[in-house]
Amino acid sequence: MGATAAHWIVAKELADVVLIDVVEGVPQGKALDLQQALPIERSDVHITGTNDYADTADSDVVIITAGLPANPA
């Protein structure tokens, strides 16, 4: 859900985005994917992937999604 929300925020140029996850490399990879799509969307927002909540300092809006990814049964 978080990556989808981030995608639409970037596509609509609503705000800069900071993606956070406790797993090292996950938010950085998702941020890189979104950054590489910016020219297609003609968006110039700034996207950061991090494992540090300090990177959200001075944020106006924070969206928190929590849970485990779906596991195929």
Side-chain angles (χ1 to χ4, degrees):
M1 181 65 205
T4 302
H7 172 88
W8 283 107
I9 291 167
V10 169
K12 300 289 185 180
E13 293 186 281
L14 299 176
D16 292 337
V17 174
V18 178
L19 299 173
I20 299 176
D21 199 299
V22 295
V23 180
E24 182 67 38
V26 169
Q28 293 86 350
K30 289 181 181 185
L32 182 60
D33 288 344
L34 287 170
Q35 286 172 345
Q36 291 176 338
L38 289 178
I40 296 168
E41 296 287 349
R42 296 187 178 158
S43 176
D44 64 353
V45 300
H46 186 260
I47 305 164
T48 303
T50 185
N51 302 101
D52 186 359
Y53 282 94
D55 292 325
T56 64
D58 300 321
S59 294
D60 293 324
V61 176
V62 177
I63 300 170
I64 299 173
T65 60
L68 297 173
N71 292 326

